[in-house]
């Protein structure tokens, strides 16, 4: 199977109608008048890295505005952690200490009025149970949202791109598998390549055409092994690869995650 490198077009899958058409997420009735005051406040645990957190914030506001019109925007709160501290703890496998930082951020967001929380990083869902135990409001798991989109598309076997932690450890793959999916990851050399691109380029806001081509070759090799689609299981990878780059179905975790949160926020009205 050859994954085609296509000409770049406008950013893909960023608007709710396009996401819904591709992944068939449900539409909720549009609130009006006093109902808008009942919208949930979305709490974002971000900063991992801030480049993808900015996408979460932008998309939340675009999606709410598309639904409600006028000058409406999302009710949201952002707690942005210092990614240098988190990245250092990741490398040392001090996940509990990293979880403490996110749990503290989650408690702050709940105290400030957040009704629903998102961890704006796939890898840090490794500590979601620790973070959930610190608050009483729900945390929307990104892998559950993505698995729903994959199943809605009629697919069963998907490739996974992400950090080495996400690709190699069981916490994320097992969550996807609990939804009946078969998850393929790249081989060791390809995993190292994707991890390097994430931490040495995308976390600094560097989007390199050569790195895009290399990562698409990784996708191609997973397709050769039977992947019917690919999950962009790192929020930064969505900055690099778009649906327009490949004929294989792409599941962008940032867009899907915030779309699901906005659906919940609007459904509360």
């Amino acid at each position: 199977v050859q994954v085609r490198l296509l000409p770049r077009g406008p950013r893909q899958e960023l608007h709710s109608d396009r996401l819904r058409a591709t992944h068939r997420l449900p539409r909720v009735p549009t609130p009006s008048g006093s109902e808008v005051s009942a919208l949930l406040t979305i709490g974002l645990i971000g900063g991992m890295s801030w480049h993808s957190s900015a996408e979460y914030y932008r998309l939340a506001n675009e999606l709410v505005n598309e639904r409600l019109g006028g000058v409406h925007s999302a009710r949201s709160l952002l707690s942005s952690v210092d990614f240098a501290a988190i990245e250092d703890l990741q490398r040392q496998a001090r996940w509990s200490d990293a979880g403490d930082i996110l749990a503290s951020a989650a408690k702050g967001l709940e105290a400030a009025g957040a009704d629903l929380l998102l961890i704006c990083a796939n890898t840090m869902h490794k500590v979601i149970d620790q973070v959930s135990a610190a608050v009483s409001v729900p945390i929307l798991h990104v892998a559950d949202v993505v698995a729903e989109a994959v199943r809605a598309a009629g697919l069963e076997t998907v490739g996974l791109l992400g950090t080495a932690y996400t690709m190699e450890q069981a916490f994320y793959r097992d969550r996807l598998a609990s939804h009946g999916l078969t998850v393929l990851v790249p081989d060791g050399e390809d995993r190292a390549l994707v991890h390097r691109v994430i931490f040495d380029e995308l976390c600094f806001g560097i989007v390199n055409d050569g790195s895009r081509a290399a990562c698409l070759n990784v996708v191609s090799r997973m397709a050769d092994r039977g992947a019917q689609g690919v999950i962009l299981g790192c929020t930064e990878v969505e900055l690099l690869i778009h649906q327009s780059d490949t004929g294989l179905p792409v599941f962008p975790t940032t867009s899907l995650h915030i779309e699901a949160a906005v659906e919940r926020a609007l459904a509360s009205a």
Side-chain angles (χ1 to χ4, degrees):
V1 178
Q2 179 64 41
V3 177
R4 294 170 293 143
L5 180 61
L6 302 177
R8 300 302 305 282
R11 293 182 62 86
Q12 299 295 307
E13 312 305 338
L14 294 186
H15 299 291
S16 58
D17 288 341
R18 290 182 180 179
L19 275 169
R20 193 171 292 103
T22 303
H23 303 295
R24 297 196 289 276
L25 294 177
R27 175 180 287 279
V28 298
T30 300
S32 60
S34 61
E35 289 180 312
V36 174
S37 65
L39 297 182
L40 298 183
T41 297
I42 301 169
L44 305 172
I45 303 173
M48 304 169 285
S49 70
W50 69 261
H51 297 281
S52 59
S53 299
E55 288 295 290
Y56 269 91
Y57 181 73
R58 181 181 65 80
L59 287 169
N61 287 293
E62 286 185 354
L63 291 166
V64 169
N65 185 260
E66 286 176 5
R67 189 69 56 81
L68 302 183
V71 293
H72 284 292
S73 56
R75 293 191 170 191
S76 64
L77 298 166
L78 170 64
S79 180
S80 186
V81 303
D82 180 3
F83 190 40
I86 298 294
E87 191 269 339
D88 184 57
L89 293 172
Q90 289 176 341
R91 285 189 287 103
Q92 298 181 59
R94 293 169 56 189
W95 294 101
S96 180
D97 291 338
D100 285 341
I101 294 174
L102 268 59
S104 178
K107 288 190 285 188
L109 289 169
E110 181 179 30
D115 301 297
L116 169 69
L117 300 181
L118 304 185
I119 297 174
C120 301
N122 287 265
T123 295
M124 292 312 296
H125 279 71
K126 181 176 174 69
V127 298
I128 191 171
D129 290 341
Q130 183 179 348
V131 179
S132 295
V135 293
S136 60
V137 295
I139 303 179
L140 185 59
H141 199 302
V142 64
D144 292 339
V145 172
V146 174
E148 180 183 351
V150 173
R151 294 304 301 266
L155 308 185
E156 296 181 352
T157 302
V158 286
L160 174 63
L161 295 182
T163 67
Y165 312 113
T166 300
M167 292 185 290
E168 295 173 0
Q169 299 184 26
F171 69 94
Y172 198 90
R173 290 182 285 108
D174 285 355
R175 188 80 175 208
L176 293 171
S178 72
H179 291 270
L181 299 178
T182 298
V183 182
L184 306 179
V185 297
D187 65 20
E189 184 176 340
D190 283 347
R191 292 197 303 271
L193 182 151
V194 174
H195 186 85
R196 179 191 62 76
V197 169
I198 292 169
F199 279 95
D200 293 353
E201 297 177 15
L202 298 176
C203 284
F204 291 92
I206 299 169
V207 178
N208 182 283
D209 287 340
S211 295
R212 178 183 298 109
C215 287
L216 286 169
N217 285 334
V218 174
V219 172
S220 178
R221 287 187 281 274
M222 287 194 291
D224 287 337
R225 293 163 48 204
Q228 301 166 309
V230 59
I231 294 171
L232 307 184
C234 171
T235 50
E236 272 70 37
V237 174
E238 192 169 334
L239 305 174
L240 182 70
I241 295 176
H242 307 98
Q243 185 61 72
S244 60
D245 294 321
T246 174
L248 206 66
V250 169
F251 297 90
T253 53
T254 298
S255 299
L256 290 168
H257 202 197
I258 193 61
E259 165 85 5
V262 168
E263 294 287 355
R264 289 197 181 193
L266 292 172
S268 70

